[in-house]
mmCIF file with all atom_site columns, all heavy atoms in Angstrom:
data_model
loop_
_atom_site.group_PDB
_atom_site.id
_atom_site.type_symbol
_atom_site.label_atom_id
_atom_site.label_alt_id
_atom_site.label_comp_id
_atom_site.label_asym_id
_atom_site.label_entity_id
_atom_site.label_seq_id
_atom_site.pdbx_PDB_ins_code
_atom_site.Cartn_x
_atom_site.Cartn_y
_atom_site.Cartn_z
_atom_site.occupancy
_atom_site.B_iso_or_equiv
_atom_site.pdbx_formal_charge
_atom_site.auth_seq_id
_atom_site.auth_comp_id
_atom_site.auth_asym_id
_atom_site.auth_atom_id
_atom_site.pdbx_PDB_model_num
ATOM 1   N N   . MET R 1 29 ? 30.823 71.844 -40.070 1.00 0.00 ? 608 MET R N   1
ATOM 2   C CA  . MET R 1 29 ? 29.912 72.898 -39.658 1.00 0.00 ? 608 MET R CA  1
ATOM 3   C C   . MET R 1 29 ? 28.601 72.318 -39.170 1.00 0.00 ? 608 MET R C   1
ATOM 4   O O   . MET R 1 29 ? 28.140 71.284 -39.615 1.00 0.00 ? 608 MET R O   1
ATOM 5   C CB  . MET R 1 29 ? 29.598 73.841 -40.831 1.00 0.00 ? 608 MET R CB  1
ATOM 6   C CG  . MET R 1 29 ? 30.796 74.524 -41.438 1.00 0.00 ? 608 MET R CG  1
ATOM 7   S SD  . MET R 1 29 ? 31.673 75.578 -40.289 1.00 0.00 ? 608 MET R SD  1
ATOM 8   C CE  . MET R 1 29 ? 30.543 76.951 -40.190 1.00 0.00 ? 608 MET R CE  1
ATOM 9   N N   . GLU R 1 30 ? 27.999 73.069 -38.302 1.00 0.00 ? 609 GLU R N   1
ATOM 10  C CA  . GLU R 1 30 ? 26.670 72.729 -37.840 1.00 0.00 ? 609 GLU R CA  1
ATOM 11  C C   . GLU R 1 30 ? 25.769 73.872 -38.290 1.00 0.00 ? 609 GLU R C   1
ATOM 12  O O   . GLU R 1 30 ? 26.086 75.032 -38.080 1.00 0.00 ? 609 GLU R O   1
ATOM 13  C CB  . GLU R 1 30 ? 26.709 72.666 -36.323 1.00 0.00 ? 609 GLU R CB  1
ATOM 14  C CG  . GLU R 1 30 ? 25.396 72.306 -35.717 1.00 0.00 ? 609 GLU R CG  1
ATOM 15  C CD  . GLU R 1 30 ? 25.523 72.256 -34.192 1.00 0.00 ? 609 GLU R CD  1
ATOM 16  O OE1 . GLU R 1 30 ? 26.454 72.879 -33.657 1.00 0.00 ? 609 GLU R OE1 1
ATOM 17  O OE2 . GLU R 1 30 ? 24.674 71.606 -33.579 1.00 0.00 ? 609 GLU R OE2 1
ATOM 18  N N   . ARG R 1 31 ? 24.670 73.524 -38.967 1.00 0.00 ? 610 ARG R N   1
ATOM 19  C CA  . ARG R 1 31 ? 23.833 74.594 -39.508 1.00 0.00 ? 610 ARG R CA  1
ATOM 20  C C   . ARG R 1 31 ? 22.397 74.449 -39.049 1.00 0.00 ? 610 ARG R C   1
ATOM 21  O O   . ARG R 1 31 ? 21.922 73.359 -38.755 1.00 0.00 ? 610 ARG R O   1
ATOM 22  C CB  . ARG R 1 31 ? 23.801 74.535 -41.032 1.00 0.00 ? 610 ARG R CB  1
ATOM 23  C CG  . ARG R 1 31 ? 25.121 74.704 -41.719 1.00 0.00 ? 610 ARG R CG  1
ATOM 24  C CD  . ARG R 1 31 ? 24.859 74.551 -43.203 1.00 0.00 ? 610 ARG R CD  1
ATOM 25  N NE  . ARG R 1 31 ? 26.065 74.397 -43.959 1.00 0.00 ? 610 ARG R NE  1
ATOM 26  C CZ  . ARG R 1 31 ? 26.429 75.251 -44.931 1.00 0.00 ? 610 ARG R CZ  1
ATOM 27  N NH1 . ARG R 1 31 ? 25.686 76.280 -45.216 1.00 0.00 ? 610 ARG R NH1 1
ATOM 28  N NH2 . ARG R 1 31 ? 27.528 75.045 -45.608 1.00 0.00 ? 610 ARG R NH2 1
ATOM 29  N N   . ALA R 1 32 ? 21.706 75.565 -39.095 1.00 0.00 ? 611 ALA R N   1
ATOM 30  C CA  . ALA R 1 32 ? 20.261 75.535 -38.897 1.00 0.00 ? 611 ALA R CA  1
ATOM 31  C C   . ALA R 1 32 ? 19.664 75.005 -40.183 1.00 0.00 ? 611 ALA R C   1
ATOM 32  O O   . ALA R 1 32 ? 20.295 75.064 -41.228 1.00 0.00 ? 611 ALA R O   1
ATOM 33  C CB  . ALA R 1 32 ? 19.754 76.938 -38.629 1.00 0.00 ? 611 ALA R CB  1
ATOM 34  N N   . PRO R 1 33 ? 18.438 74.456 -40.135 1.00 0.00 ? 612 PRO R N   1
ATOM 35  C CA  . PRO R 1 33 ? 17.797 74.067 -41.399 1.00 0.00 ? 612 PRO R CA  1
ATOM 36  C C   . PRO R 1 33 ? 17.731 75.291 -42.306 1.00 0.00 ? 612 PRO R C   1
ATOM 37  O O   . PRO R 1 33 ? 17.590 76.414 -41.823 1.00 0.00 ? 612 PRO R O   1
ATOM 38  C CB  . PRO R 1 33 ? 16.396 73.627 -40.967 1.00 0.00 ? 612 PRO R CB  1
ATOM 39  C CG  . PRO R 1 33 ? 16.482 73.371 -39.496 1.00 0.00 ? 612 PRO R CG  1
ATOM 40  C CD  . PRO R 1 33 ? 17.588 74.225 -38.977 1.00 0.00 ? 612 PRO R CD  1
ATOM 41  N N   . LYS R 1 34 ? 17.812 75.041 -43.607 1.00 0.00 ? 613 LYS R N   1
ATOM 42  C CA  . LYS R 1 34 ? 17.802 76.144 -44.567 1.00 0.00 ? 613 LYS R CA  1
ATOM 43  C C   . LYS R 1 34 ? 16.490 76.931 -44.470 1.00 0.00 ? 613 LYS R C   1
ATOM 44  O O   . LYS R 1 34 ? 15.445 76.374 -44.169 1.00 0.00 ? 613 LYS R O   1
ATOM 45  C CB  . LYS R 1 34 ? 17.916 75.574 -45.980 1.00 0.00 ? 613 LYS R CB  1
ATOM 46  C CG  . LYS R 1 34 ? 18.491 76.536 -46.985 1.00 0.00 ? 613 LYS R CG  1
ATOM 47  C CD  . LYS R 1 34 ? 18.743 75.784 -48.294 1.00 0.00 ? 613 LYS R CD  1
ATOM 48  C CE  . LYS R 1 34 ? 19.644 76.586 -49.193 1.00 0.00 ? 613 LYS R CE  1
ATOM 49  N NZ  . LYS R 1 34 ? 20.053 75.863 -50.381 1.00 0.00 ? 613 LYS R NZ  1
ATOM 50  N N   . GLY R 1 35 ? 16.571 78.216 -44.732 1.00 0.00 ? 614 GLY R N   1
ATOM 51  C CA  . GLY R 1 35 ? 15.359 79.023 -44.770 1.00 0.00 ? 614 GLY R CA  1
ATOM 52  C C   . GLY R 1 35 ? 15.131 79.788 -43.483 1.00 0.00 ? 614 GLY R C   1
ATOM 53  O O   . GLY R 1 35 ? 15.859 79.632 -42.496 1.00 0.00 ? 614 GLY R O   1
ATOM 54  N N   . LEU R 1 36 ? 14.107 80.621 -43.536 1.00 0.00 ? 615 LEU R N   1
ATOM 55  C CA  . LEU R 1 36 ? 13.838 81.506 -42.411 1.00 0.00 ? 615 LEU R CA  1
ATOM 56  C C   . LEU R 1 36 ? 12.386 81.377 -41.981 1.00 0.00 ? 615 LEU R C   1
ATOM 57  O O   . LEU R 1 36 ? 11.465 81.554 -42.769 1.00 0.00 ? 615 LEU R O   1
ATOM 58  C CB  . LEU R 1 36 ? 14.128 82.953 -42.833 1.00 0.00 ? 615 LEU R CB  1
ATOM 59  C CG  . LEU R 1 36 ? 13.904 84.032 -41.789 1.00 0.00 ? 615 LEU R CG  1
ATOM 60  C CD1 . LEU R 1 36 ? 14.697 83.748 -40.529 1.00 0.00 ? 615 LEU R CD1 1
ATOM 61  C CD2 . LEU R 1 36 ? 14.306 85.380 -42.358 1.00 0.00 ? 615 LEU R CD2 1
ATOM 62  N N   . SER R 1 37 ? 12.200 81.012 -40.727 1.00 0.00 ? 616 SER R N   1
ATOM 63  C CA  . SER R 1 37 ? 10.854 80.908 -40.172 1.00 0.00 ? 616 SER R CA  1
ATOM 64  C C   . SER R 1 37 ? 10.977 81.157 -38.677 1.00 0.00 ? 616 SER R C   1
ATOM 65  O O   . SER R 1 37 ? 12.082 81.304 -38.159 1.00 0.00 ? 616 SER R O   1
ATOM 66  C CB  . SER R 1 37 ? 10.294 79.513 -40.409 1.00 0.00 ? 616 SER R CB  1
ATOM 67  O OG  . SER R 1 37 ? 11.075 78.583 -39.664 1.00 0.00 ? 616 SER R OG  1
ATOM 68  N N   . ALA R 1 38 ? 9.854  81.185 -37.998 1.00 0.00 ? 617 ALA R N   1
ATOM 69  C CA  . ALA R 1 38 ? 9.893  81.364 -36.545 1.00 0.00 ? 617 ALA R CA  1
ATOM 70  C C   . ALA R 1 38 ? 10.723 80.238 -35.914 1.00 0.00 ? 617 ALA R C   1
ATOM 71  O O   . ALA R 1 38 ? 11.400 80.432 -34.911 1.00 0.00 ? 617 ALA R O   1
ATOM 72  C CB  . ALA R 1 38 ? 8.483  81.378 -35.987 1.00 0.00 ? 617 ALA R CB  1
ATOM 73  N N   . ASP R 1 39 ? 10.696 79.063 -36.564 1.00 0.00 ? 618 ASP R N   1
ATOM 74  C CA  . ASP R 1 39 ? 11.481 77.945 -36.032 1.00 0.00 ? 618 ASP R CA  1
ATOM 75  C C   . ASP R 1 39 ? 12.974 78.198 -36.135 1.00 0.00 ? 618 ASP R C   1
ATOM 76  O O   . ASP R 1 39 ? 13.743 77.795 -35.269 1.00 0.00 ? 618 ASP R O   1
ATOM 77  C CB  . ASP R 1 39 ? 11.115 76.644 -36.753 1.00 0.00 ? 618 ASP R CB  1
ATOM 78  C CG  . ASP R 1 39 ? 9.749  76.139 -36.325 1.00 0.00 ? 618 ASP R CG  1
ATOM 79  O OD1 . ASP R 1 39 ? 9.305  76.545 -35.218 1.00 0.00 ? 618 ASP R OD1 1
ATOM 80  O OD2 . ASP R 1 39 ? 9.123  75.380 -37.089 1.00 0.00 ? 618 ASP R OD2 1
ATOM 81  N N   . THR R 1 40 ? 13.383 78.861 -37.232 1.00 0.00 ? 619 THR R N   1
ATOM 82  C CA  . THR R 1 40 ? 14.801 79.214 -37.368 1.00 0.00 ? 619 THR R CA  1
ATOM 83  C C   . THR R 1 40 ? 15.196 80.115 -36.203 1.00 0.00 ? 619 THR R C   1
ATOM 84  O O   . THR R 1 40 ? 16.253 79.954 -35.594 1.00 0.00 ? 619 THR R O   1
ATOM 85  C CB  . THR R 1 40 ? 15.046 79.993 -38.681 1.00 0.00 ? 619 THR R CB  1
ATOM 86  O OG1 . THR R 1 40 ? 14.277 79.399 -39.720 1.00 0.00 ? 619 THR R OG1 1
ATOM 87  C CG2 . THR R 1 40 ? 16.504 80.010 -39.043 1.00 0.00 ? 619 THR R CG2 1
ATOM 88  N N   . VAL R 1 41 ? 14.337 81.088 -35.931 1.00 0.00 ? 620 VAL R N   1
ATOM 89  C CA  . VAL R 1 41 ? 14.614 82.027 -34.843 1.00 0.00 ? 620 VAL R CA  1
ATOM 90  C C   . VAL R 1 41 ? 14.733 81.263 -33.525 1.00 0.00 ? 620 VAL R C   1
ATOM 91  O O   . VAL R 1 41 ? 15.662 81.479 -32.744 1.00 0.00 ? 620 VAL R O   1
ATOM 92  C CB  . VAL R 1 41 ? 13.501 83.101 -34.768 1.00 0.00 ? 620 VAL R CB  1
ATOM 93  C CG1 . VAL R 1 41 ? 13.720 84.009 -33.565 1.00 0.00 ? 620 VAL R CG1 1
ATOM 94  C CG2 . VAL R 1 41 ? 13.436 83.899 -36.062 1.00 0.00 ? 620 VAL R CG2 1
ATOM 95  N N   . ARG R 1 42 ? 13.813 80.320 -33.305 1.00 0.00 ? 621 ARG R N   1
ATOM 96  C CA  . ARG R 1 42 ? 13.864 79.519 -32.074 1.00 0.00 ? 621 ARG R CA  1
ATOM 97  C C   . ARG R 1 42 ? 15.132 78.673 -32.022 1.00 0.00 ? 621 ARG R C   1
ATOM 98  O O   . ARG R 1 42 ? 15.754 78.520 -30.972 1.00 0.00 ? 621 ARG R O   1
ATOM 99  C CB  . ARG R 1 42 ? 12.636 78.605 -31.986 1.00 0.00 ? 621 ARG R CB  1
ATOM 100 C CG  . ARG R 1 42 ? 11.388 79.363 -31.630 1.00 0.00 ? 621 ARG R CG  1
ATOM 101 C CD  . ARG R 1 42 ? 10.240 78.441 -31.213 1.00 0.00 ? 621 ARG R CD  1
ATOM 102 N NE  . ARG R 1 42 ? 9.025  79.218 -31.158 1.00 0.00 ? 621 ARG R NE  1
ATOM 103 C CZ  . ARG R 1 42 ? 8.169  79.348 -32.180 1.00 0.00 ? 621 ARG R CZ  1
ATOM 104 N NH1 . ARG R 1 42 ? 8.368  78.715 -33.310 1.00 0.00 ? 621 ARG R NH1 1
ATOM 105 N NH2 . ARG R 1 42 ? 7.105  80.118 -32.061 1.00 0.00 ? 621 ARG R NH2 1
ATOM 106 N N   . TYR R 1 43 ? 15.520 78.149 -33.188 1.00 0.00 ? 622 TYR R N   1
ATOM 107 C CA  . TYR R 1 43 ? 16.719 77.311 -33.271 1.00 0.00 ? 622 TYR R CA  1
ATOM 108 C C   . TYR R 1 43 ? 17.951 78.105 -32.841 1.00 0.00 ? 622 TYR R C   1
ATOM 109 O O   . TYR R 1 43 ? 18.738 77.662 -32.012 1.00 0.00 ? 622 TYR R O   1
ATOM 110 C CB  . TYR R 1 43 ? 16.872 76.810 -34.710 1.00 0.00 ? 622 TYR R CB  1
ATOM 111 C CG  . TYR R 1 43 ? 18.095 75.963 -34.960 1.00 0.00 ? 622 TYR R CG  1
ATOM 112 C CD1 . TYR R 1 43 ? 18.017 74.569 -34.897 1.00 0.00 ? 622 TYR R CD1 1
ATOM 113 C CD2 . TYR R 1 43 ? 19.320 76.542 -35.281 1.00 0.00 ? 622 TYR R CD2 1
ATOM 114 C CE1 . TYR R 1 43 ? 19.138 73.787 -35.138 1.00 0.00 ? 622 TYR R CE1 1
ATOM 115 C CE2 . TYR R 1 43 ? 20.446 75.776 -35.517 1.00 0.00 ? 622 TYR R CE2 1
ATOM 116 C CZ  . TYR R 1 43 ? 20.360 74.387 -35.444 1.00 0.00 ? 622 TYR R CZ  1
ATOM 117 O OH  . TYR R 1 43 ? 21.457 73.626 -35.671 1.00 0.00 ? 622 TYR R OH  1
ATOM 118 N N   . VAL R 1 44 ? 18.062 79.319 -33.419 1.00 0.00 ? 623 VAL R N   1
ATOM 119 C CA  . VAL R 1 44 ? 19.230 80.155 -33.102 1.00 0.00 ? 623 VAL R CA  1
ATOM 120 C C   . VAL R 1 44 ? 19.235 80.472 -31.615 1.00 0.00 ? 623 VAL R C   1
ATOM 121 O O   . VAL R 1 44 ? 20.260 80.350 -30.926 1.00 0.00 ? 623 VAL R O   1
ATOM 122 C CB  . VAL R 1 44 ? 19.216 81.475 -33.933 1.00 0.00 ? 623 VAL R CB  1
ATOM 123 C CG1 . VAL R 1 44 ? 20.351 82.399 -33.490 1.00 0.00 ? 623 VAL R CG1 1
ATOM 124 C CG2 . VAL R 1 44 ? 19.331 81.174 -35.426 1.00 0.00 ? 623 VAL R CG2 1
ATOM 125 N N   . SER R 1 45 ? 18.070 80.848 -31.114 1.00 0.00 ? 624 SER R N   1
ATOM 126 C CA  . SER R 1 45 ? 17.959 81.228 -29.711 1.00 0.00 ? 624 SER R CA  1
ATOM 127 C C   . SER R 1 45 ? 18.308 80.044 -28.792 1.00 0.00 ? 624 SER R C   1
ATOM 128 O O   . SER R 1 45 ? 19.024 80.200 -27.807 1.00 0.00 ? 624 SER R O   1
ATOM 129 C CB  . SER R 1 45 ? 16.540 81.725 -29.431 1.00 0.00 ? 624 SER R CB  1
ATOM 130 O OG  . SER R 1 45 ? 16.454 82.206 -28.119 1.00 0.00 ? 624 SER R OG  1
ATOM 131 N N   . ALA R 1 46 ? 17.820 78.856 -29.180 1.00 0.00 ? 625 ALA R N   1
ATOM 132 C CA  . ALA R 1 46 ? 18.092 77.671 -28.372 1.00 0.00 ? 625 ALA R CA  1
ATOM 133 C C   . ALA R 1 46 ? 19.575 77.315 -28.401 1.00 0.00 ? 625 ALA R C   1
ATOM 134 O O   . ALA R 1 46 ? 20.175 76.961 -27.391 1.00 0.00 ? 625 ALA R O   1
ATOM 135 C CB  . ALA R 1 46 ? 17.250 76.501 -28.884 1.00 0.00 ? 625 ALA R CB  1
ATOM 136 N N   . LYS R 1 47 ? 20.182 77.451 -29.605 1.00 0.00 ? 626 LYS R N   1
ATOM 137 C CA  . LYS R 1 47 ? 21.620 77.163 -29.737 1.00 0.00 ? 626 LYS R CA  1
ATOM 138 C C   . LYS R 1 47 ? 22.435 78.015 -28.784 1.00 0.00 ? 626 LYS R C   1
ATOM 139 O O   . LYS R 1 47 ? 23.501 77.644 -28.331 1.00 0.00 ? 626 LYS R O   1
ATOM 140 C CB  . LYS R 1 47 ? 22.071 77.455 -31.177 1.00 0.00 ? 626 LYS R CB  1
ATOM 141 C CG  . LYS R 1 47 ? 21.849 76.305 -32.116 1.00 0.00 ? 626 LYS R CG  1
ATOM 142 C CD  . LYS R 1 47 ? 22.932 75.263 -31.913 1.00 0.00 ? 626 LYS R CD  1
ATOM 143 C CE  . LYS R 1 47 ? 22.408 73.898 -32.351 1.00 0.00 ? 626 LYS R CE  1
ATOM 144 N NZ  . LYS R 1 47 ? 23.159 72.799 -31.773 1.00 0.00 ? 626 LYS R NZ  1
ATOM 145 N N   . LYS R 1 48 ? 21.917 79.217 -28.553 1.00 0.00 ? 627 LYS R N   1
ATOM 146 C CA  . LYS R 1 48 ? 22.653 80.156 -27.719 1.00 0.00 ? 627 LYS R CA  1
ATOM 147 C C   . LYS R 1 48 ? 22.247 80.067 -26.252 1.00 0.00 ? 627 LYS R C   1
ATOM 148 O O   . LYS R 1 48 ? 22.664 80.901 -25.441 1.00 0.00 ? 627 LYS R O   1
ATOM 149 C CB  . LYS R 1 48 ? 22.392 81.584 -28.223 1.00 0.00 ? 627 LYS R CB  1
ATOM 150 C CG  . LYS R 1 48 ? 22.912 81.834 -29.613 1.00 0.00 ? 627 LYS R CG  1
ATOM 151 C CD  . LYS R 1 48 ? 24.404 82.030 -29.563 1.00 0.00 ? 627 LYS R CD  1
ATOM 152 C CE  . LYS R 1 48 ? 25.027 81.738 -30.897 1.00 0.00 ? 627 LYS R CE  1
ATOM 153 N NZ  . LYS R 1 48 ? 26.467 81.651 -30.828 1.00 0.00 ? 627 LYS R NZ  1
#
Side-chain angles (χ1 to χ4, degrees):
Chain R
M608 301 299 286
E609 181 180 22
R610 299 178 193 240
K613 205 172 195 173
L615 180 55
S616 66
D618 287 338
T619 319
V620 175
R621 286 194 192 93
Y622 178 95
V623 174
S624 185
K626 275 282 155 200
K627 296 283 157 192

